[in-house]
Amino acid sequence: MGPTPPLSTSENCDAAVVAPWGTPVESSPMLGLVGLVLCLVPVDTLTAFPPKFQVGQLNEDVVVQCDTLEPHISWTLNGEQDPMAELEPEGRNLTILGLDLPATGNYSCWAGPVLLDTTYVVLSDAREEEIDVSCQAESYHGSFHCSWPGPPSAVFRARLTRSDGSVGPWVPVAGGHGRFNASLADPSFCPFAEELRPLGLHLEGLSDTSYLSLSKHFFLRDIVRPDPPQELSLRWLGEQLHLAWAPPASWQRPTSYFVLLYHLQYELPNGTQVERFVEGVEETQVQVGAQRVRISCRDPYSPLAWSPWSPWQDLSTPR
């Protein structure tokens, strides 16, 4: 039999019972009993997506299989030889009778002291719509970044269905402080061609007790938000002061094809702000009497996604 870790207990056993993915639920005598049971169940905290896991439905039987040819094996749940779950071993299989929260976790099969195989068993979570996934691309290179909230104890992985219909590999997801981030790229994406097929983002998440699957489909053109314009500079042309800038370094080239619309915001001495819009140029005459200016940009065909503002540029330059 494998080593048995010490029994872990919750630090907040007398707090409100928390459902999978951190959703608070109202307390009741029955939920209080469940909370007490969960405080007594040893839990292996997930730090990475397990290579082998199994998803079951609440109160339904689940069969876990040990990947071995050993004729005599034993089982542990979260390191415990006698877990608080109703189990029926038979050969290489272990049947979990009526899967519930105390029966979720890391099932390990052993040949004496030798660990043979592990399977992480979780409950299906049907509340995918509660996960708000936000995606953004800096340009039309085919790469983008997504983020979403989630419980700190969860782990996620992501993969992409590309514009040519092929499916990419699963990639790990970084997380911290209740926020998860994934960067993906479509190597088949052509920035000069019309997008005919949306990209498909697929997420899988595991908490200590439950599983979540989520898909999100979108065209790259709908999530493009450029970086701010850069290299703002001033120069005099005769009696006129001109402001020049460069497109974001991350923006697709050539800019004669991937045109940007620029939004200039001037501030006058009395604090009034004056707006001006120019398209397809990288220099313009400065607003007369303005003290400072900042600039933003967007794809003129993606009207909902202005870039962040550039830093304010002081216009009090000597001639």
Side-chain angles (χ1 to χ4, degrees):
M1 185 64 63
T4 301
L7 188 70
S8 64
T9 59
S10 168
E11 296 179 357
N12 299 300
C13 290
D14 55 348
V17 178
V18 177
W21 303 102
T23 303
V25 296
E26 295 180 359
S27 64
S28 69
M30 179 57 71
L31 288 177
L33 178 59
V34 171
L36 176 60
V37 169
L38 290 176
C39 290
L40 297 175
V41 174
V43 176
D44 289 351
T45 301
L46 289 168
T47 57
F49 215 93
K52 185 178 177 182
F53 68 96
Q54 199 160 332
V55 182
Q57 300 295 325
L58 182 64
N59 296 326
E60 293 187 5
D61 294 351
V62 174
V63 178
V64 180
Q65 186 175 80
C66 182
D67 187 12
T68 183
L69 297 177
E70 290 287 338
H72 303 292
I73 62 174
S74 58
W75 292 87
T76 60
L77 168 57
N78 297 325
E80 290 294 314
Q81 302 176 23
D82 299 308
M84 300 176 66
E86 193 171 354
L87 310 174
E88 284 188 356
E90 182 178 353
R92 293 183 300 156
N93 295 338
L94 178 70
T95 301
I96 307 169
L97 301 176
L99 181 66
D100 56 9
L101 288 177
T104 58
N106 194 34
Y107 284 83
S108 302
C109 56
W110 305 78
V114 179
L115 177 63
L116 303 173
D117 193 15
T118 61
T119 301
Y120 208 93
V121 177
V122 291
L123 283 167
S124 176
D125 192 326
R127 296 175 295 117
E128 295 98 343
E129 70 278 0
E130 295 184 10
I131 302 296
D132 181 20
V133 181
S134 174
C135 296
Q136 181 178 308
E138 298 171 346
S139 187
Y140 293 96
H141 300 291
S143 58
F144 60 94
H145 174 82
C146 296
S147 65
W148 60 94
S153 60
V155 293
F156 282 88
R157 64 179 182 177
R159 69 177 175 184
L160 180 66
T161 298
R162 302 162 177 153
S163 54
D164 63 0
S166 63
V167 179
W170 287 108
V171 296
V173 169
H177 306 290
R179 195 83 190 168
F180 296 86
N181 303 277
S183 295
L184 299 115
D186 178 3
S188 66
F189 187 84
C190 178
F192 297 94
E194 182 181 0
E195 285 185 90
L196 300 176
R197 186 198 302 266
L199 302 173
L201 172 68
H202 307 284
L203 300 177
E204 285 188 328
L206 288 175
S207 71
D208 292 335
T209 58
S210 62
Y211 166 84
L212 177 143
S213 177
L214 172 66
S215 294
K216 181 181 178 72
H217 296 84
F218 50 85
F219 290 100
L220 191 74
R221 62 176 179 262
D222 293 331
I223 64 168
V224 168
R225 187 191 188 202
D227 287 330
Q230 58 180 351
E231 300 175 11
L232 275 68
S233 62
L234 296 167
R235 64 171 179 161
W236 286 95
L237 291 179
E239 297 297 320
Q240 296 178 343
L241 180 62
H242 279 234
L243 173 71
W245 61 87
S250 58
W251 188 247
Q252 190 78 37
R253 264 55 171 182
T255 54
S256 58
Y257 185 87
F258 297 96
V259 177
L260 283 168
L261 174 66
Y262 294 97
H263 178 192
L264 288 82
Q265 187 176 78
Y266 294 96
E267 188 173 87
L268 303 181
N270 63 1
T272 302
Q273 292 182 342
V274 178
E275 317 286 332
R276 186 181 178 192
F277 298 87
V278 294
E279 182 176 330
V281 298
E282 296 169 14
E283 183 172 335
T284 187
Q285 182 180 346
V286 170
Q287 172 78 26
V288 175
Q291 287 192 323
R292 59 179 187 167
V293 63
R294 61 181 181 175
I295 184 169
S296 178
C297 64
R298 67 167 169 85
D299 183 336
Y301 303 103
S302 299
L304 299 179
W306 285 101
S307 77
W309 288 105
S310 70
W312 284 103
Q313 171 73 46
D314 186 6
L315 298 176
S316 59
T317 178
R319 294 191 58 178

